[in-house]
C-alpha cells in the first residue's frame, strides 16, 4: 500500500466524499497532534515524573492519575485557539468546557476520554485517547450540556489513539476506518491500514470474568456457552483476552475480530455498566460499525441511544457482528 500522511488522507476524503470541510480537517489534525504530545508524555514513564496518582478525583469519583490530568490539559490547550470548536467535554471534567471568549468559535463540539485505561498507566500496559466529534446544533449561541446530548448517529468523526509498542491513530469520518502509525523520527502519522474490516465470526471474547457471579441471566448463559466450548452448544472452543484498557481490547478486535463486553450487573442495579456513552461507547461504536462490526447495549444499537446526561454509562457489547447479534438476542429473550 502506498504510504500517505494523515493530511493527504483527509484531503483525499474531502475530494472523494465532500465529508471533511476545512474546519473538520483542522480539528482532526489538531487532535492527532495532541495525541502525539500525549504519546510523548506517556512514553516518559517514571523518567518524566508523570506516573502515580494526582491528589484529586474526577466526576466519576475515580482517583485521577497525573497523566489523566496532563492528557486532558494537552487536549484542551491544543483545541481552544483554532476557531474550529464551540465547546469540549471530557471524562475528566464535570461540566462542558466552552471555548474562551478571547478565541473565535466554530461549528464543532469535541468530546474525549483523554487517557482511557488509566489503571494500566503505572504497569506499562497499552492505554489510549478516545474522541468523538459532533456538530453544534443550528442556532446555538452559548453551548450547554444539552447541546452535546445527541445520539451517536450524529457523530461526524470518531477515533482513538493507542499508546502501545507502536503509537497508532484509528479514525473514521463515516467512510470506512483507517489506521495511521506514528513515525517518531518524522513526527508524522503515516497510513498503515486502509478500510479496516472486522471479521464477522470470531472465537475470541473480552470480558472481566471476575464479575461473573453478578451478571444477569442472559449474560451468564452466553458466557457459560463460551466457557463450555466444544463440549457445549457452541461446538467449538473460544479464547479470552482482557487488557482492562478499552482502547487496547477494541484495537485487538479491529485487528483480528472478537467481542468486547462490559455488561450491567446486579451489584448496582441503577448503574448501567461501567463505560460511558458519550466519549467511550459512541465513538468506539461508530468505528466498529464502520468496520463492519456491531455495537449494542444488549437490547438496542448503541448509536441510536438518546443521551440524557453527559456522563451517563451504558452496557457495551461490540465487535464481530455474529457474536454481538447472538448475545443481544439472548438479552432480548429471543
Ligand atoms: P475493570 C478503564 O478504566 C476502563 O474504563 C476501560 O478502559 C476498561 O475496558 C474498563 O474500564 C476496565 O474495567 O472493571 O476490568 O477494571
Amino acid at each position: 500500500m502506498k504510504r500517505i500522511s494523515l493530511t493527504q488522507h483527509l484531503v483525499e476524503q474531502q475530494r472523494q466524499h465532500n465529508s471533511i470541510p476545512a474546519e473538520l480537517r483542522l480539528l482532526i489534525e489538531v487532535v492527532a497532534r495532541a495525541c502525539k504530545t500525549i504519546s510523548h508524555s506517556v512514553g516518559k514513564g517514571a523518567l518524566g515524573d508523570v506516573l502515580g496518582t494526582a491528589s484529586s478525583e474526577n466526576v466519576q469519583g475515580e482517583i485521577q492519575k497525573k497523566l489523566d490530568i496532563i492528557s486532558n490539559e494537552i487536549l484542551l490547550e491544543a483545541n481552544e485557539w483554532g476557531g474550529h470548536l464551540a465547546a469540549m467535554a471530557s471524562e475528566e471534567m464535570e461540566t462542558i468546557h466552552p471555548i474562551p471568549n478571547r478565541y473565535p468559535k466554530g461549528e464543532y463540539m469535541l468530546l474525549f476520554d483523554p487517557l482511557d485505561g488509566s489503571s494500566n498507566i503505572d504497569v506499562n500496559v497499552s492505554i489510549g485517547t478516545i474522541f468523538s466529534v459532533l456538530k453544534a446544533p443550528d442556532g446555538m449561541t452559548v453551548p450547554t450540556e444539552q447541546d452535546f446530548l445527541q445520539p451517536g448517529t450524529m457523530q461526524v468523526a470518531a477515533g482513538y489513539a493507542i499508546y502501545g509498542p507502536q503509537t497508532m491513530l484509528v479514525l473514521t469520518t463515516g467512510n470506512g476506518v483507517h489506521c495511521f502509525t506514528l513515525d517518531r523520527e518524522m513526527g508524522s502519522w503515516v497510513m498503515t491500514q486502509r478500510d479496516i474490516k472486522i471479521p464477522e465470526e470470531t472465537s475470541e471474547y473480552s470480558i472481566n470474568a471476575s464479575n461473573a457471579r453478578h451478571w444477569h441471566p442472559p449474560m451468564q448463559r452466553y458466557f457459560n456457552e463460551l466457557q463450555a466450548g466444544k463440549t457445549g452448544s457452541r461446538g467449538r472452543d473460544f479464547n479470552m483476552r482482557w487488557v482492562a484498557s478499552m482502547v487496547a481490547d477494541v484495537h485487538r478486535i479491529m485487528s483480528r475480530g472478537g467481542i468486547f463486553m462490559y455488561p450491567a450487573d446486579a451489584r448496582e442495579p441503577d448503574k448501567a455498566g461501567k463505560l460511558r456513552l458519550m466519549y467511550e461507547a459512541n465513538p468506539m461504536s461508530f468505528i466498529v460499525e464502520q468496520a463492519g462490526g456491531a455495537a449494542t447495549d444488549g437490547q438496542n444499537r448503541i448509536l441510536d441511544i438518546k443521551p440524557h446526561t453527559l456522563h451517563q454509562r451504558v452496557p457495551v457489547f461490540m465487535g464481530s457482528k455474529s457474536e454481538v447479534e447472538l448475545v443481544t438476542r439472548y438479552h432480548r429473550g429471543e
Side-chain angles (χ1 to χ4, degrees), residues 62 91 113 116-119 208 211 242 244-247 249 260 262 274-276 280:
E62 296 164 341
E91 179 193 61
D113 179 356
D116 179 75
S118 308
S119 60
N208 182 340
N211 300 326
W242 187 248
S245 175
M246 185 185 197
V247 171
D249 282 313
F260 173 89
Y262 211 110
K274 178 175 184 183
L275 299 173
R276 292 85 172 177
E280 288 175 333

Side-chain angles (χ1 to χ4, degrees), residues 116-164:
D116 179 75
S118 308
S119 60
N120 287 309
I121 292 175
D122 297 345
V123 294
N124 198 21
V125 169
S126 298
I127 49 185
T129 298
I130 308 171
F131 65 92
S132 169
V133 183
L134 294 169
K135 288 197 73 173
D138 290 339
M140 183 188 80
T141 50
V142 178
T144 64
E145 178 171 317
Q146 194 61 34
D147 295 314
F148 280 83
L149 302 184
Q150 303 175 32
T153 47
M154 298 301 286
Q155 292 174 98
V156 293
Y160 63 83
I162 177 167
Y163 312 116

